[in-house]
Amino acid sequence: MNLVFLGPPGAGKGTQAGLVSEYFDIPHISSGDIFRKNIFTKTNLGKKAKEFIDKGVLVPDKITNTMVKLRLERNDCKDGFILDGYPRTVAQADFLSGITDISCVINFILSKEEIVKRISGRRTCKKCRKVYHVEFNPPDQKSVCDECAGELIQRSDESPEIIRKRLKEYKKKTAPLENYYKKEDLLVEMDASPSINEIFNDVKKILKKVSRL
Ligand SMILES: [Zn+2]
């Protein structure tokens, strides 16, 4: 079962991908993890990608495509995978369909206001990196980590202005992708506003159908 999860930052697709990965025993492959791994191990691709990430712009398709291809060729992908954060553009989707067959694309949908509320409320511990939310998952003591008493900060890329900018960029690049997969008859729309468990139940139902095809 070769899956693609689409959705803006903050829609919870990474969380769902993690749950699906465990339930169906297929790897969750996030573009962010692929980048971090390549950068951390200082591959040539990683060094190139870092230059773009440091500037706060998207990494060019050629670099990203190659990283993803190498990842999908690994043995743990033989029964399927969940791609999260890739493809982001129609050009990437074209590349992907050239190297593998996609079984289903789930598009997680959430309003802009809800996304800004979710992301801008996040607070991260400076010391242990644990993530809280001022409204949905507050620490016992304001701005102090429950685990290690470290200081909780708002990451610079999680301020409302930056989120709006990211969402605008996301929409511009990704809207054509939705049409692309709609035409391929692979797109399933998923309301991302209910609880994690409710969404996961819906996702499971869809994927059980897909896996029987
Ligand atoms: Zn901490």
Side-chain angles (χ1 to χ4, degrees):
M1 199 161 48
N2 301 341
L3 308 174
V4 170
F5 283 9
L6 295 180
K13 71 177 175 348
T15 303
Q16 294 298 325
L19 293 169
V20 169
S21 167
E22 209 169 292
Y23 189 85
F24 289 95
D25 197 21
I26 51 178
H28 168 200
I29 301 173
S30 97
S31 57
D33 285 344
I34 296 182
F35 285 137
R36 276 188 287 276
K37 193 148 200 192
N38 274 277
I39 290 166
F40 184 72
T41 57
K42 294 193 165 64
T43 64
N44 281 331
L45 289 167
K47 282 184 213 159
K48 281 184 206 156
K50 190 173 186 305
E51 289 171 22
F52 293 95
I53 292 169
D54 285 346
K55 280 184 252 173
V57 295
L58 289 177
V59 177
D61 282 351
K62 210 175 160 190
I63 298 172
T64 309
N65 288 343
T66 310
M67 283 185 189
V68 170
K69 181 170 182 284
L70 291 171
R71 180 63 188 88
L72 296 184
E73 281 167 0
R74 279 173 44 188
N75 200 38
D76 62 341
C77 294
K78 66 181 186 329
D79 294 326
F81 53 79
I82 309 145
L83 276 170
D84 161 15
Y86 179 95
R88 279 188 210 267
T89 63
V90 168
Q92 290 180 355
D94 266 333
F95 176 85
L96 182 64
S97 64
I99 58 170
T100 189
D101 287 323
I102 296 302
S103 327
C104 179
V105 178
I106 299 184
N107 190 24
F108 295 88
I109 295 165
L110 199 62
S111 73
K112 191 163 84 184
E113 292 67 36
E114 184 63 26
I115 291 167
V116 171
K117 196 167 107 184
R118 281 191 189 181
I119 302 181
S120 65
R122 282 185 199 159
R123 296 293 179 273
T124 305
C125 174
K126 248 171 137 175
K127 253 203 242 168
C128 74
R129 317 307 295 167
K130 187 171 172 183
V131 179
Y132 297 82
H133 192 284
V134 289
E135 193 180 331
F136 308 124
N137 179 28
D140 291 340
Q141 216 183 322
K142 194 172 174 274
S143 304
V144 179
C145 178
D146 294 346
E147 305 286 329
C148 74
E151 186 194 350
L152 302 184
I153 53 158
Q154 181 178 50
R155 278 172 33 182
S156 58
D157 61 344
E158 292 179 344
S159 70
E161 308 80 69
I162 301 287
I163 298 162
R164 290 202 178 89
K165 201 179 136 206
R166 279 164 71 196
L167 285 176
K168 216 170 160 183
E169 192 175 0
Y170 173 83
K171 209 172 167 193
K172 204 172 90 191
K173 293 238 174 184
T174 314
L177 253 192
E178 298 173 8
N179 290 327
Y180 178 95
Y181 283 123
K182 216 178 265 175
K183 266 188 226 151
E184 303 269 319
D185 206 18
L186 290 172
L187 194 75
V188 177
E189 309 270 7
M190 181 67 59
D191 176 10
S193 60
S195 74
I196 289 172
N197 277 333
E198 285 172 279
I199 299 170
F200 183 48
N201 280 332
D202 288 342
V203 169
K204 265 192 295 193
K205 268 182 224 156
I206 290 162
L207 295 183
K208 279 178 182 167
K209 248 186 256 169
V210 169
S211 66
R212 276 197 296 269
L213 291 179

